[in-house]
Amino acid sequence: MRTADRPGAGGTASPARRGRRRAARSGLVAAATALLGAVAAAPSAAGRDGTAAHAAARDRAAASSAAGRDGTAAHAAARDRAAASSSAGREGTAPPAAARDWTAAPAAGRPYAYLEGPAGSVLQDTLSVTNPGAAPLTVRLSGQGAPVSFAAPTVTVPARTRADVPFAVTVTADTPPGDHRGTVRAAAAGREVRVDLRLRVSGPRLAALTVEDVRVDAATGALRYTLVNRGSTVLAPRLAVRAEGLLGTVLDRPDRVLPLTLRPGERVTRTEPWPDPPALDSVTVRLTATAPGAAPATARAEAAFASGPALTGAAGLLLAAAGAAGWAARRRSASRTQRAPAGATP
């Protein structure tokens, strides 16, 4: 081996060897650079892949949440439909509680409707109908016991509203003065409300009572009669009964209070029993009715009583009386004949 060819022996390497070394170093540098670039690029790609994966997961979560919300909304809609159907079913059978809580009363919070005026007039008042419900309410209106009239037979009251409905009472010309009663009726949602109506017809106060149409039932002895209040005040009548026959009084009942009251213009037909009338007699029955403040009213009727047994007995008595009378006549004739003198013509 030559000294010049050995490195480190004070000599230099050959150009060929130096070229090979430089090529090797260049290859190593290039490989290291490529490796470093791959290492540097790997985290970025991984980050990009992770971000993409995270975005995809986020999109899937959003889709799932939207689907959940859609499912919840669909469930809520179905629940609302079921509730509406149930409510409709309940409304078909019974009105809601709020609809049943409607009220009707005289306006201005009065306890009853009060009207006053003369006969032949038209009096007006107002009925307040309150609807606390959430839907309109149709109310039917009418009157009873008094000539009450409304502009229309029904009124529709909006939700959560009070309607003041006017009505009129016609007082006819023949209505007697005094106090009269009636009722204003309102019906809706399966129930009816009645409002008391008090009517005072002005005019002089007069107490007048009559007894009319007195009849006697000859078969039973019952007395039928009619009491009429001809005044303008309420009357509490009393009645007395007396019957006179051919031989004297056959019935005498002192006056007593009758179980009734008569309003002005009212007529009442009653029956007075007579359980033991005479069997054979001709009687005059007198009825006397009285009331506080009114003059006594009297009426009478005639009746003849003649039952079958009484007639038979009377016929027997008449025959016996006729026989007795004939026998007595014959006895008197025979007695005169015996007392006549001889030779005289009887």
Side-chain angles (χ1 to χ4, degrees), residues 16 32 47 57 79-80 95 117 184 188 190 198 219-220 238 244 252 257 261 276 285 292 294 299 310 316 340 343:
R79 184 180 60 204
D80 292 342
V184 178
R198 301 184 183 183
T220 63
R238 302 172 65 93
E244 299 286 344
D252 188 7
V257 177
T261 56
D276 54 348
V285 179

Side-chain angles (χ1 to χ4, degrees), residues 48-311:
R48 286 194 302 272
D49 293 342
T51 302
H54 177 71
R58 183 180 60 203
D59 293 341
R60 286 194 300 272
S64 175
S65 176
R69 287 195 299 272
D70 293 342
T72 303
H75 177 69
R79 184 180 60 204
D80 292 342
R81 287 193 297 271
S85 175
S86 175
S87 175
R90 289 194 301 270
E91 291 178 356
T93 57
R100 294 193 299 271
D101 293 338
W102 64 272
T103 60
R110 292 170 295 161
Y112 52 82
Y114 177 81
L115 296 171
E116 182 175 358
S121 61
V122 178
L123 309 177
Q124 295 184 346
D125 205 339
T126 303
L127 180 71
S128 295
V129 181
T130 303
N131 175 20
L137 180 70
T138 299
V139 183
R140 297 184 304 276
L141 305 169
S142 61
Q144 182 179 15
V148 179
S149 60
F150 292 86
T154 61
V155 61
T156 299
V157 184
R160 302 180 182 88
T161 303
R162 187 192 73 191
D164 292 333
V165 185
F167 65 90
V169 176
T170 302
V171 184
T172 58
D174 58 349
T175 303
D179 297 329
H180 303 267
R181 291 292 188 92
T183 303
V184 178
R185 301 189 299 178
R191 69 185 185 93
E192 181 180 79
V193 175
R194 298 190 176 191
V195 177
D196 187 22
L197 172 63
R198 301 184 183 183
L199 173 64
R200 178 181 288 272
V201 180
S202 58
R205 298 180 66 84
L206 175 65
L209 180 66
T210 60
V211 183
E212 303 175 3
D213 302 329
V214 179
R215 298 183 300 276
V216 181
D217 187 344
T220 63
L223 311 176
R224 292 179 60 85
Y225 61 96
T226 301
L227 295 175
V228 184
N229 185 347
R230 299 291 184 182
S232 60
T233 61
V234 177
L235 299 179
R238 302 172 65 93
L239 183 70
V241 182
R242 186 179 181 88
E244 299 286 344
L246 296 176
L247 302 178
T249 302
V250 294
L251 178 64
D252 188 7
R253 293 179 183 172
D255 70 325
R256 69 189 190 282
V257 177
L258 298 177
L260 60 91
T261 56
L262 292 176
R263 296 190 299 272
E266 187 176 6
R267 302 171 61 95
V268 174
T269 299
R270 291 179 52 83
T271 299
E272 185 80 8
W274 190 2
D276 54 348
L280 183 65
D281 202 351
S282 178
V283 300
T284 300
V285 179
R286 186 187 304 272
L287 277 67
T288 302
T290 59
T298 301
R300 64 182 185 178
E302 306 288 340
F305 294 92
S307 64
L311 288 176

Side-chain angles (χ1 to χ4, degrees), residues 305-336:
F305 294 92
S307 64
L311 288 176
T312 301
L317 290 175
L318 289 175
L319 290 176
W327 179 80
R330 288 193 300 272
R331 287 291 303 272
R332 286 195 300 270
S333 176
S335 176
R336 286 196 300 270

